[in-house]
Amino acid sequence: MPAQANEIDITRRFLKMRLLRDRASFRGFEEERKHIHDLLLRTANSGESNSALLLGRRGSGKTTLLTSVLAELLPLKSFHENTLLVYLNGLIHTDDRQALKSITVQMKLENAVDGKVFGSFAENLAFLLDCLKSGNRKTSKSVIYLLEEFDLFCSHHNQTLLYNLFDVAQSAQAPICVIGVTARMDVVELLEKRVKSRFSHRQIFLHPPEDAFQERLALFEELLKLPTEKDVAKFDETHPLIPQDIVEENEEMVLLRNLFNPREFSFSAKWVKQWNRQIAALVKTPGVCKVLQNMYDYDVVEGSFRMLLVELVNELDEEHPAITCESIQQLGKEYESDDKVALLEGLTALEICLLISMKHHSEIYDRDPFNFEMILTRFNKFANSSSTMQGIPRGVALKGYEHLKALEMIVPVPGIAGSSKGQKEFQLHRLLLTFGQITKAVQRMAFLPTEITQWAQSSVA
């Protein structure tokens, strides 16, 4: 059915665009969003100077929050006519010279230079500061500086850029607002004393709630449903279009480019109704709820959840025209799978026995280091009473021990004697696996003799 194949293709592209590019829609953190919104609005309308830091773990929505606020404010004539936006990223602008060059271009100050080439960083900085300080609160445009990966700017030499930006903001010489975005919670401690004294110490934290699974279910349904005409009309109402000339005039302002717009896609009403009914049924399925609950228990961040849904959407094609309970459960298995456990399943019975010996040793001695001789003694104690593991030569056991070291299941303890060739049996190591990983691997290895499985589960070493 070519018509259905076309609908599936459009649906896949639509959902991927929503999951990856819908940066103007923001959920939750209403108080924090209002705080940023009011800061930027006061800077534009009243000429106030402010500085703030937006902190939260990666994927918590810091950049999305900023983008959604800008997408709301920029269509307002009073805002975009009174402000200049300057976007800097610590991963791109790796030193103050590059950052200053970018600021000059984004503030359109290169025309004011009249072709003059400054000889030093100091002259560049002096020129920029003169431009900023020559303005006043009533006649000058407000300048909003957005510093992504703010912690990386703290490593720049003498923190010159941060010092001067915060100094201008504090002294209110020109209306500027500095917003730093970072995943480092201790970023204020990275600031030099002179910089810290000029920072407003306004910190806005984004901590995702850990007991909001019902909201996660609602998010799952919202992200995967197709929009009806009513939904598109509501989107247009809450997401006014940013004038194209505003987006194009600043080439470095990547946050506002290629924003998601559902008007670019069209679906038949029958397909939308059929798809949405199927998604609504999925949310009520116990198997799906269990998988989503496990994912939520592992990670409450929305960003990583969206990326998991992208994997789910990627599988849509003519052979798999819908998202099913089985596909979600398979995604859950892949999400929870442990690569170390998969690696352990490929080991020999001898190597598994050595790991069990290490596990017992670590349990008894509270993860103290061990050497080959200790593990061999513990293994021999089991082997002598075993019917399957007797008569293992010492050299073979040593080879298995070294293989575990090569696979980085164990690691040498640094700074301890015994690393010479003649003493490798006595070199101390630590176990890099959790006890649960070893137990899980043993349970999955069907070829292991029953006595080894029972020994692994036994607390008696």
Side-chain angles (χ1 to χ4, degrees):
M1 294 174 66
Q4 185 180 2
N6 186 48
E7 293 279 18
I8 294 168
D9 184 54
I10 296 172
T11 300
R12 183 176 63 249
R13 287 191 289 114
F14 170 83
L15 292 176
K16 285 176 72 174
M17 290 295 182
R18 175 191 270 167
L19 291 167
L20 297 172
R21 287 191 354 200
D22 190 10
R23 298 187 298 276
S25 300
F26 188 75
R27 300 164 186 80
F29 301 110
E30 292 177 10
E31 189 177 326
E32 291 82 356
R33 187 183 185 280
K34 187 175 185 303
H35 199 155
I36 293 288
H37 179 278
D38 292 348
L39 272 182
L40 299 187
L41 205 57
R42 288 203 304 270
T43 301
N45 294 344
S46 309
E48 286 187 21
S49 289
N50 292 301
S51 57
L53 285 177
L54 191 57
L55 302 105
R57 58 188 288 191
R58 297 202 181 278
S60 58
K62 304 180 294 298
T63 305
T64 305
L65 184 150
L66 264 182
T67 308
S68 70
V69 170
L70 291 174
E72 181 184 331
L73 292 177
L74 280 172
L76 303 176
K77 191 175 180 182
S78 61
F79 183 82
H80 77 252
E81 287 185 352
N82 293 330
T83 57
L84 281 172
L85 291 176
V86 177
Y87 175 77
L88 300 174
N89 191 311
L91 294 170
I92 300 169
H93 307 100
T94 52
D95 58 43
D96 284 349
R97 185 181 297 277
Q98 290 182 354
L100 268 181
K101 185 178 178 183
S102 180
I103 291 172
T104 306
V105 171
Q106 292 184 61
M107 291 181 66
K108 299 180 175 55
L109 296 176
E110 68 267 34
N111 296 329
V113 183
D114 293 327
K116 182 181 176 184
V117 178
F118 294 117
S120 68
F121 169 76
E123 288 181 4
N124 270 304
L125 182 62
F127 169 70
L128 175 65
L129 292 175
D130 285 343
C131 291
L132 285 173
K133 293 174 183 177
S134 63
N136 60 67
R137 291 179 61 175
K138 293 183 179 178
T139 60
S140 297
K141 274 191 172 186
S142 303
V143 187
I144 296 173
Y145 292 89
L146 306 175
L147 276 60
E148 194 106 46
E149 305 293 347
F150 180 84
D151 53 294
L152 298 181
F153 288 97
C154 298
S155 63
H156 292 187
H157 181 64
N158 288 338
Q159 299 182 358
T160 309
L161 178 69
L162 294 181
Y163 170 76
N164 285 287
L165 287 180
F166 285 148
D167 187 50
V168 172
Q170 187 193 45
S171 56
Q173 294 160 324
I176 78 166
C177 180
V178 183
I179 305 286
V181 179
T182 179
R184 282 199 64 165
M185 300 296 175
D186 63 339
V187 69
V188 175
E189 303 306 317
L190 303 178
L191 297 175
E192 292 181 3
K193 189 176 180 181
R194 64 186 187 129
V195 181
K196 196 185 294 186
S197 66
R198 284 160 175 78
F199 171 52
S200 67
H201 289 272
R202 186 183 283 109
Q203 298 180 64
I204 301 166
F205 294 92
L206 298 188
H207 292 308
E210 297 183 2
D211 55 352
F213 177 63
Q214 291 306 315
E215 283 82 348
R216 173 58 58 88
L217 274 180
L219 177 65
F220 173 81
E221 186 173 2
E222 182 184 340
L223 291 176
L224 292 182
K225 274 192 170 182
L226 297 180
T228 60
E229 280 299 321
K230 187 178 178 182
D231 294 332
V232 174
K234 185 178 178 182
F235 185 92
D236 288 343
E237 189 180 315
T238 55
H239 297 72
L241 282 176
I242 304 171
Q244 196 60 30
D245 57 321
I246 297 176
V247 178
E248 291 175 355
E249 69 182 0
N250 188 343
E251 293 182 358
E252 299 202 29
M253 193 65 188
V254 293
L255 298 181
L256 301 173
R257 284 198 210 147
N258 300 321
L259 290 180
F260 170 72
N261 184 1
R263 283 285 182 200
E264 296 173 3
F265 303 86
S266 62
F267 308 92
S268 68
K270 182 181 178 183
W271 174 259
V272 170
K273 188 176 180 181
Q274 176 188 332
W275 179 271
N276 288 350
R277 190 188 301 125
Q278 177 242 337
I279 295 297
L282 273 179
V283 176
K284 297 174 184 176
T285 307
V288 172
C289 290
K290 185 179 179 182
V291 171
L292 294 178
Q293 178 73 64
N294 289 340
M295 289 180 177
Y296 187 75
D297 291 341
Y298 273 110
D299 193 355
V300 297
V301 171
E302 183 181 324
S304 52
F305 180 63
R306 281 172 173 261
M307 295 311 297
L308 283 168
L309 293 185
V310 169
E311 291 183 35
L312 203 59
V313 170
N314 274 337
E315 296 175 2
L316 291 175
D317 54 27
E318 287 185 62
E319 294 181 9
H320 307 90
I323 295 173
T324 62
C325 179
E326 289 73 22
S327 61
I328 294 174
Q329 287 174 333
Q330 181 60 34
L331 180 69
K333 284 181 183 176
E334 292 172 6
Y335 180 72
E336 293 176 18
S337 66
D338 190 331
D339 293 338
K340 285 280 189 185
V341 173
L343 193 61
L344 289 176
E345 289 179 42
L347 297 180
T348 64
L350 170 62
E351 289 162 346
I352 286 292
C353 285
L354 293 176
L355 280 175
I356 295 170
S357 299
M358 295 171 194
K359 171 179 172 282
H360 285 157
H361 180 279
S362 299
E363 283 176 334
I364 294 169
Y365 297 107
D366 198 19
R367 285 197 170 269
D368 274 0
F370 50 79
N371 59 31
F372 171 70
E373 291 295 338
M374 295 178 185
I375 299 306
L376 184 64
T377 302
R378 193 167 293 280
F379 167 68
N380 284 336
K381 190 176 174 184
F382 162 73
N384 291 335
S385 60
S386 164
S387 59
T388 54
M389 300 302 294
Q390 289 181 356
I392 303 289
R394 176 190 174 87
V396 175
L398 181 58
K399 196 73 176 175
Y401 188 88
E402 288 178 337
H403 185 226
L404 295 176
K405 180 180 173 183
L407 292 174
E408 296 184 354
M409 309 278 184
I410 57 175
V411 63
V413 178
I416 296 205
S419 58
S420 64
K421 186 176 179 182
Q423 294 181 320
K424 62 183 176 181
E425 296 94 333
F426 300 100
Q427 185 179 10
L428 291 176
H429 293 80
R430 285 190 189 279
L431 184 62
L432 292 183
L433 301 168
T434 65
F435 301 151
Q437 285 173 323
I438 296 173
T439 304
K440 201 170 185 179
V442 169
Q443 289 171 348
R444 288 187 182 179
M445 296 171 74
F447 69 86
L448 277 183
T450 309
E451 56 190 1
I452 295 179
T453 307
Q454 291 173 345
W455 180 45
Q457 296 170 350
S458 168
S459 59
V460 181

